[in-house]
Amino acid sequence: MLTYNLVDGEQEFLYVYLYKCIRDDIIAGKIKSGEKLPSKRNFAKNLGVSVITVENSYEQLMAEGYIYSVPKRGFYVCELKDTGVQPRRISGQGISLEREVSSYIADFSSNQTDAAVFPFSVWTKTIREIMNENQQQLMVNPPCGGIMELRVRIALYLKEFRGMQVNPEQIFIGAGTEYLYSLIIQLLGERIKYGVENPGYPKIAQIYSRMRVPYEYVEMDAQGIMPGTLEEKGIDVIHISPSHHFPTGIVMPIARRYELLSWAAGKPDRYIIEDDYDSELRFAGRPISTLYSIDGSDKTIYMNTFAKTLCSTVRISYMVLPQILMERFYKSLAFYSCTVSNFEQYTLARFMENGSFEKHMNRLRNYYQKKRNRILQVFKDRLRNERITIIESDTGAHFIMDIHTDKTEDWIVKEAMKRGIKMAPLSQYYFGKVPWCAKRFVMNYSSISMDKIEEIAGLLSEIIEI
Amino acid sequence: MLTYNLVDGEQEFLYVYLYKCIRDDIIAGKIKSGEKLPSKRNFAKNLGVSVITVENSYEQLMAEGYIYSVPKRGFYVCELKDTGVQPRRISGQGISLEREVSSYIADFSSNQTDAAVFPFSVWTKTIREIMNENQQQLMVNPPCGGIMELRVRIALYLKEFRGMQVNPEQIFIGAGTEYLYSLIIQLLGERIKYGVENPGYPKIAQIYSRMRVPYEYVEMDAQGIMPGTLEEKGIDVIHISPSHHFPTGIVMPIARRYELLSWAAGKPDRYIIEDDYDSELRFAGRPISTLYSIDGSDKTIYMNTFAKTLCSTVRISYMVLPQILMERFYKSLAFYSCTVSNFEQYTLARFMENGSFEKHMNRLRNYYQKKRNRILQVFKDRLRNERITIIESDTGAHFIMDIHTDKTEDWIVKEAMKRGIKMAPLSQYYFGKVPWCAKRFVMNYSSISMDKIEEIAGLLSEIIEI
């Protein structure tokens, strides 16, 4: 009779161990298909366990289809056809608990937020309030565009700070701008040709490519994208950041904006995606007005994110769809669940409602302005002035720096890397030929530690002054 | 000379108000292109404001491209070509603060989690710990698959509770199973034909359709999907829930599993997507073993979610990719940012690490079993037994109920709706012809309030017993 040594199985429930023993023997062919298993009572007696243990094992084997029961006769092994399937080899490799830690002293390619500027205490307090007061609401599946409370707050914010009149129903919240992009592509369909700014944010073209829609790079002049080029190339949808182009920092003048809007109004399927990713972080004056706010033809898809204004690791972005696209979205894409957790949506809504967001934004602007001034001052003091040119714009958490040297860009990047500094050459944001010779770098300073700025400048001077 | 009444603008910064006045006059053509603006000093004197106010307005107008300056001569209005663009009409519609509130007494179509079962206090405590202890880490952009801490915890969980040996690098965390689906489609490419279980979860086909990849419905027998049909239809990738099919509750027997694995091993591009969405909520015995754990050919993409085990509004799901697909992912899709917020990833990792998740799962299983038993008992007591048949499976938060009546399914749905009860006919989960005549309903009970179950049964009896 079938027997197993159940002492080995002490660490598990007995019945689980027994189930596994029988299962493995069936898989290995040691118990043949059609074979009758011992009766529960006899088997239990033989193994020295309770009948319930055998019963539980048999039930698990039945549930998974290894055995079947014939009423009043007993339990039989199912037929497993020889499908030639190999059993899974368990690799010896254990689960590693190591984490990667960035070893840079300074990473000028990163948009990460400095922990010093995240409003930890207010955010934690707000979460606690929400978790106490909104328990029922937190469990309610939100509409596809996100919870109404947050969309209303965003609409009010856009009205007050960006001069935009939008209805909360036009606002769609999603886990990052990249995700919203995939929705836009699904919304507009594949018969659309997308234009990508050159230079620009490299992920945009990667998303078009992975989503398998046609796209083409479009050159810019000093005012941004040219409508004539869009006509020539047969572009239908163009992604731009008119208030602060990434990475060049160009602010598109109002005349060019009107020309672009006129281009968009020329055909029904033309749209402009306005990515307003960091224009709220303008230090001088107020933020540049949005294209959306002057667009009377309703051809602008407005996108924004809390990655810069809160932190890059809270994944909350939103888009404002024109009326016609909003209706299309509700018709064809409303089945999608919102990708942002209710917990964070309610927390952010409350954070905006009670004035914390506005306070935080003022603090943030102040912080970045000071940080930028300090970095530029240290660079000015420590680096030879004829070797660098800073190209400033008043916005956001990066500036452009030209390095005047005979060394190649590659050489600079490698030498910096040796010293623990990651540089981001502007040429990386170009597709194809780069139209100048200067060694030009994008300097994202949001993640740079102020305590190390003297050291960083010292290391840079070693490279620049050779 | 140009003049404005700056008293109206009290509510805003004076310079912003002045900027808007000038801007609107330029747009309206009241100030012509090429026209010279008053000097800052004269204008300030004339308006009775400080020079700095005028200076700030001019700077904003320059930044946005409405005016330009000629050194030593002054400020001039830019040329705005008549592009025929209409100004945006501001609709009178205000921002509505209303929220939609579900008015159902019982919604059997909803998978929402009952607030009574969410571990609010432990979750809040865990967030607070994370917010205190992990401030630096929280700001670090995670790898595309999610933070290593959480992936390690999930790997350990899968090992202990699902008998699966996976490396954390194979695990990819995303904001919901739907989102992970879009990644799988981008990963496998468009030359793949997808199979959709019929009946099944309707969103799967919707996602394929919106992502514009070829797919076909595949019929099932009592054991699930048939490999022969997959061959006939030329399917490459099939989505199944072998441990607990939705909505029928079928558990795929081991023999059929091997046949399917053998089918998948037949061609390089064939894969099985195993959606293990609720098998952890099994009341009798242990969870059914996964297909992944017996697949020696590495053809199974395993997917799971915390929607059932935590709550449906925390958007955290994950997939385990076979080695070859994992490598392909890192090569072609690693540029995507992880869609789940660091805050919730770290919180969940800690929640799993300190044993809270296991405790919660035990409590949850217990809670659902009691809830299910209570509902079935009340139905048995209050509804005429010859009129209903409950088709039980031991798993998850739904069961199937047949109603025996001459009335149509539509009639039942409408009469229930009148009484505030939302029913989910199984036929809704079928594409095309439904192969039976019974009035069969999927009864999701996770969101049903236990306080109202007597009332709900009473209302159902009014319909069933006519």
Side-chain angles (χ1 to χ4, degrees):
Chain A
M1 193 184 182
L2 207 53
T3 191
Y4 298 103
N5 175 9
L6 291 186
V7 178
D8 288 353
E10 278 176 336
Q11 75 281 24
E12 295 189 83
F13 282 121
L14 268 184
Y15 90 88
V16 174
Y17 184 73
L18 180 60
Y19 143 80
K20 284 183 180 169
C21 292
I22 303 172
R23 182 194 66 183
D24 292 349
D25 280 354
I26 293 173
I27 292 171
K30 289 185 196 163
I31 314 176
K32 299 274 180 297
S33 77
E35 202 171 301
K36 190 179 185 240
L37 290 182
S39 79
K40 289 184 277 190
R41 192 167 303 270
N42 281 344
F43 202 11
K45 204 170 151 194
N46 194 45
L47 294 170
V49 298
S50 71
V51 175
I52 199 91
T53 299
V54 179
E55 195 168 285
N56 285 339
S57 315
Y58 280 14
E59 270 173 13
Q60 189 73 28
L61 290 164
M62 275 207 290
E64 300 195 2
Y66 287 96
I67 64 172
Y68 60 96
S69 80
V70 180
K72 294 185 189 159
R73 296 208 25 217
F75 298 87
Y76 295 84
V77 176
C78 296
E79 190 183 355
L80 301 184
K81 271 184 231 158
D82 185 8
T83 51
V85 173
Q86 294 295 312
R88 181 174 280 277
R89 45 168 176 70
I90 305 293
S91 77
Q93 218 176 336
I95 293 165
S96 149
L97 279 155
E98 272 175 76
R99 349 181 19 254
E100 289 158 69
V101 174
S102 164
S103 54
Y104 295 116
I105 298 163
D107 182 352
F108 286 104
S109 76
S110 167
N111 71 342
Q112 268 171 210
T113 314
D114 191 339
V117 81
F118 186 84
F120 278 104
S121 66
V122 182
W123 191 257
T124 311
K125 188 171 158 280
T126 314
I127 292 177
R128 210 166 47 224
E129 280 172 30
I130 291 295
M131 298 286 280
N132 282 334
E133 298 163 22
N134 287 39
Q135 303 198 346
Q136 298 295 334
Q137 282 179 311
L138 282 169
M139 297 295 118
V140 177
N141 291 333
C144 59
I147 64 162
M148 237 350 135
E149 284 82 347
L150 181 54
R151 293 154 88 185
V152 166
R153 284 300 140 200
I154 291 173
L156 291 168
Y157 169 81
L158 291 175
K159 186 164 182 237
E160 189 163 1
F161 295 95
R162 307 300 283 122
M164 293 164 63
Q165 179 84 23
V166 309
N167 290 318
E169 289 76 15
Q170 289 176 267
I171 298 174
F172 294 82
I173 292 158
T177 305
E178 297 163 20
Y179 171 71
L180 293 176
Y181 241 86
S182 80
L183 292 181
I184 290 179
I185 293 169
Q186 292 178 62
L187 186 63
L188 297 178
E190 80 271 34
R191 258 170 274 166
I192 289 296
K193 186 170 176 186
Y194 295 85
V196 178
E197 286 177 318
N198 192 17
Y201 196 54
K203 282 193 186 182
I204 304 292
Q206 284 176 302
I207 295 171
Y208 291 140
S209 158
R210 297 310 178 277
M211 297 281 288
R212 305 184 309 280
V213 290
Y215 68 96
E216 196 169 337
Y217 287 96
V218 183
E219 313 307 316
M220 298 167 51
D221 67 10
Q223 306 199 328
I225 282 290
M226 296 162 283
T229 317
L230 298 178
E231 289 276 5
E232 273 165 39
K233 298 201 169 189
I235 303 295
D236 299 298
V237 174
I238 180 77
H239 170 276
I240 58 173
S241 298
S243 298
H244 189 226
H245 177 260
F246 186 83
T248 63
I250 292 173
V251 178
M252 186 181 282
I254 187 70
R256 177 63 59 86
R257 289 176 184 227
Y258 277 119
E259 285 168 42
L260 260 188
L261 288 173
S262 166
W263 163 82
K267 280 190 186 174
D269 276 347
R270 285 186 183 161
Y271 289 100
I272 299 168
I273 301 173
E274 175 178 29
D275 188 350
D276 202 25
Y277 70 105
D278 76 349
S279 64
E280 289 127 321
L281 290 179
R282 188 158 184 255
F283 309 130
R286 53 204 304 272
I288 301 290
S289 302
T290 62
L291 188 68
Y292 185 96
S293 63
I294 59 163
D295 171 15
S297 309
D298 216 12
K299 297 295 253 176
T300 308
I301 299 170
Y302 176 86
M303 297 189 103
N304 207 334
T305 170
F306 291 93
K308 299 275 178 185
T309 51
L310 210 51
C311 78
S312 65
T313 56
V314 168
R315 306 301 300 165
I316 310 182
S317 297
Y318 58 93
M319 60 182 173
V320 180
L321 291 181
Q323 194 72 23
I324 192 171
L325 292 182
M326 176 192 83
E327 282 161 21
R328 207 194 287 174
F329 193 105
Y330 284 121
K331 216 178 278 172
S332 69
L333 297 176
F335 72 91
Y336 276 121
S337 305
C338 182
T339 43
V340 180
S341 129
N342 263 11
F343 294 74
E344 297 201 326
Q345 287 194 65
Y346 277 105
T347 303
L348 180 55
R350 178 71 62 94
F351 187 75
M352 295 179 87
E353 188 190 344
N354 66 20
S356 302
F357 185 63
E358 200 183 333
K359 259 185 234 160
H360 171 66
M361 284 290 293
N362 290 334
R363 190 174 152 243
L364 198 65
R365 244 181 245 112
N366 203 357
Y367 170 85
Y368 276 125
Q369 185 165 19
K370 276 193 187 147
K371 190 164 180 175
R372 175 190 209 101
N373 291 346
R374 171 107 173 92
I375 293 175
L376 294 180
Q377 189 58 49
V378 173
F379 278 19
K380 208 178 154 195
D381 294 346
R382 304 278 309 241
L383 303 176
R384 267 166 58 195
N385 288 340
E386 69 274 23
R387 285 293 176 92
I388 61 163
T389 307
I390 303 293
I391 299 156
E392 270 217 85
S393 73
D394 308 322
T395 313
H398 74 273
F399 56 83
I400 304 285
M401 183 168 83
D402 282 354
I403 300 180
H404 310 292
T405 165
D406 294 337
K407 305 287 182 188
T408 65
E409 189 181 280
D410 266 6
W411 185 88
I412 297 172
V413 170
K414 276 186 198 143
E415 287 299 313
M417 190 72 89
K418 278 186 203 163
R419 290 163 174 82
I421 296 176
K422 190 166 178 193
M423 299 289 281
L426 185 61
S427 63
Q428 285 180 353
Y429 299 92
Y430 274 88
F431 175 78
K433 216 174 140 256
V434 178
W436 74 81
C437 304
K439 285 85 194 184
R440 182 164 280 191
F441 295 88
V442 182
M443 307 294 278
N444 289 288
Y445 58 84
S446 63
S447 73
I448 303 300
S449 160
M450 288 323 291
D451 299 340
K452 294 191 187 147
I453 189 64
E454 295 275 357
E455 181 189 0
I456 294 163
L459 292 167
L460 281 177
S461 80
E462 291 175 23
I463 300 162
I464 288 172
E465 286 161 27
I466 282 178
Chain B
M1 191 183 181
L2 207 55
T3 190
Y4 297 104
N5 175 8
L6 291 186
V7 179
D8 287 353
E10 279 177 333
Q11 76 280 22
E12 295 189 83
F13 282 120
L14 268 183
Y15 91 87
V16 174
Y17 184 72
L18 180 59
Y19 145 79
K20 282 183 181 168
C21 291
I22 304 171
R23 182 194 67 183
D24 292 349
D25 280 354
I26 293 173
I27 293 171
K30 290 185 196 161
I31 314 177
K32 299 274 181 294
S33 76
E35 201 170 304
K36 189 177 185 239
L37 289 184
S39 78
K40 288 185 277 188
R41 192 169 303 270
N42 281 345
F43 203 12
K45 204 171 152 195
N46 196 46
L47 293 170
V49 299
S50 71
V51 175
I52 198 89
T53 298
V54 178
E55 193 167 288
N56 286 340
S57 314
Y58 280 13
E59 269 175 14
Q60 189 74 28
L61 289 163
M62 275 208 289
E64 299 194 4
Y66 287 96
I67 64 173
Y68 62 96
S69 81
V70 180
K72 294 184 188 158
R73 297 209 24 219
F75 296 88
Y76 295 84
V77 176
C78 295
E79 190 184 356
L80 300 185
K81 272 186 229 157
D82 186 9
T83 51
V85 172
Q86 294 295 312
R88 181 175 278 277
R89 45 170 177 68
I90 305 293
S91 77
Q93 218 175 337
I95 292 165
S96 149
L97 279 155
E98 272 175 76
R99 342 179 30 251
E100 289 157 69
V101 173
S102 163
S103 54
Y104 295 116
I105 298 164
D107 182 352
F108 286 105
S109 77
S110 166
N111 72 341
Q112 271 174 209
T113 313
D114 192 338
V117 83
F118 186 84
F120 278 105
S121 65
V122 183
W123 192 257
T124 311
K125 187 169 158 281
T126 314
I127 292 178
R128 209 166 47 223
E129 281 172 29
I130 292 294
M131 299 284 281
N132 282 333
E133 298 163 22
N134 288 38
Q135 302 197 348
Q136 298 296 334
Q137 283 179 311
L138 283 170
M139 297 295 119
V140 177
N141 290 334
C144 59
I147 64 163
M148 239 346 135
E149 283 82 348
L150 180 54
R151 292 153 89 186
V152 166
R153 284 301 140 199
I154 291 173
L156 291 168
Y157 169 80
L158 291 175
K159 186 164 183 241
E160 189 162 1
F161 295 95
R162 307 298 285 124
M164 293 164 63
Q165 180 85 23
V166 309
N167 289 318
E169 289 77 14
Q170 289 176 268
I171 298 174
F172 294 81
I173 292 159
T177 305
E178 297 163 20
Y179 171 70
L180 293 175
Y181 241 85
S182 79
L183 291 180
I184 290 179
I185 293 168
Q186 292 178 63
L187 186 63
L188 297 179
E190 80 272 36
R191 257 170 274 166
I192 288 296
K193 185 170 175 185
Y194 295 84
V196 177
E197 286 178 316
N198 192 13
Y201 195 53
K203 282 192 185 181
I204 303 292
Q206 283 176 301
I207 295 171
Y208 290 140
S209 157
R210 295 315 176 275
M211 297 280 289
R212 305 184 311 279
V213 289
Y215 68 94
E216 197 169 337
Y217 287 96
V218 183
E219 313 306 316
M220 300 166 51
D221 67 10
Q223 306 199 328
I225 282 289
M226 295 163 284
T229 318
L230 297 178
E231 289 276 4
E232 274 165 39
K233 299 200 168 188
I235 303 294
D236 300 297
V237 174
I238 180 79
H239 169 275
I240 59 173
S241 297
S243 297
H244 189 225
H245 177 260
F246 185 85
T248 64
I250 292 172
V251 177
M252 187 182 281
I254 187 69
R256 176 63 59 84
R257 289 175 184 228
Y258 278 119
E259 286 169 40
L260 261 187
L261 288 173
S262 166
W263 163 84
K267 280 191 185 174
D269 277 347
R270 284 186 184 162
Y271 288 100
I272 299 168
I273 301 172
E274 176 178 27
D275 187 349
D276 203 25
Y277 69 106
D278 76 348
S279 65
E280 288 127 323
L281 290 179
R282 188 158 183 255
F283 310 130
R286 53 203 303 273
I288 301 290
S289 302
T290 61
L291 187 67
Y292 184 95
S293 62
I294 59 162
D295 171 15
S297 310
D298 216 13
K299 297 296 253 175
T300 307
I301 298 169
Y302 176 85
M303 298 189 102
N304 208 333
T305 171
F306 292 94
K308 300 273 177 184
T309 51
L310 210 50
C311 78
S312 65
T313 56
V314 169
R315 307 299 300 164
I316 310 181
S317 296
Y318 58 93
M319 60 182 174
V320 180
L321 292 181
Q323 195 71 23
I324 191 170
L325 292 182
M326 176 193 81
E327 283 160 19
R328 206 191 289 175
F329 193 104
Y330 285 121
K331 214 177 280 171
S332 69
L333 297 176
F335 70 90
Y336 277 122
S337 305
C338 182
T339 43
V340 179
S341 129
N342 263 11
F343 294 74
E344 297 201 326
Q345 288 194 66
Y346 277 105
T347 304
L348 180 55
R350 177 74 61 96
F351 188 75
M352 294 178 90
E353 188 190 346
N354 66 19
S356 301
F357 184 63
E358 199 182 332
K359 259 186 232 158
H360 171 66
M361 284 291 292
N362 290 334
R363 188 171 152 245
L364 197 66
R365 242 180 247 114
N366 202 357
Y367 170 86
Y368 277 126
Q369 185 164 23
K370 277 194 187 147
K371 189 164 181 176
R372 177 191 208 98
N373 291 346
R374 170 106 173 95
I375 293 174
L376 294 180
Q377 188 58 49
V378 173
F379 278 18
K380 207 176 154 193
D381 293 348
R382 304 279 308 245
L383 304 175
R384 268 165 60 194
N385 289 338
E386 68 274 23
R387 285 293 177 90
I388 61 164
T389 307
I390 303 294
I391 299 156
E392 272 217 83
S393 73
D394 306 322
T395 312
H398 74 273
F399 56 83
I400 304 284
M401 183 167 82
D402 282 354
I403 300 180
H404 310 292
T405 166
D406 294 337
K407 305 288 182 187
T408 65
E409 190 181 277
D410 267 5
W411 185 89
I412 296 172
V413 170
K414 277 185 197 143
E415 286 298 314
M417 191 72 89
K418 279 186 201 162
R419 291 164 175 82
I421 297 176
K422 188 164 178 195
M423 299 289 280
L426 185 60
S427 64
Q428 286 179 352
Y429 300 92
Y430 274 87
F431 175 79
K433 213 171 141 257
V434 179
W436 74 81
C437 306
K439 285 85 193 183
R440 183 165 279 192
F441 296 88
V442 182
M443 307 294 277
N444 289 289
Y445 57 83
S446 62
S447 73
I448 304 299
S449 160
M450 289 323 291
D451 298 342
K452 294 189 187 151
I453 188 64
E454 295 274 357
E455 181 190 359
I456 294 163
L459 293 167
L460 281 177
S461 80
E462 291 174 23
I463 300 160
I464 289 171
E465 287 163 25
I466 282 174

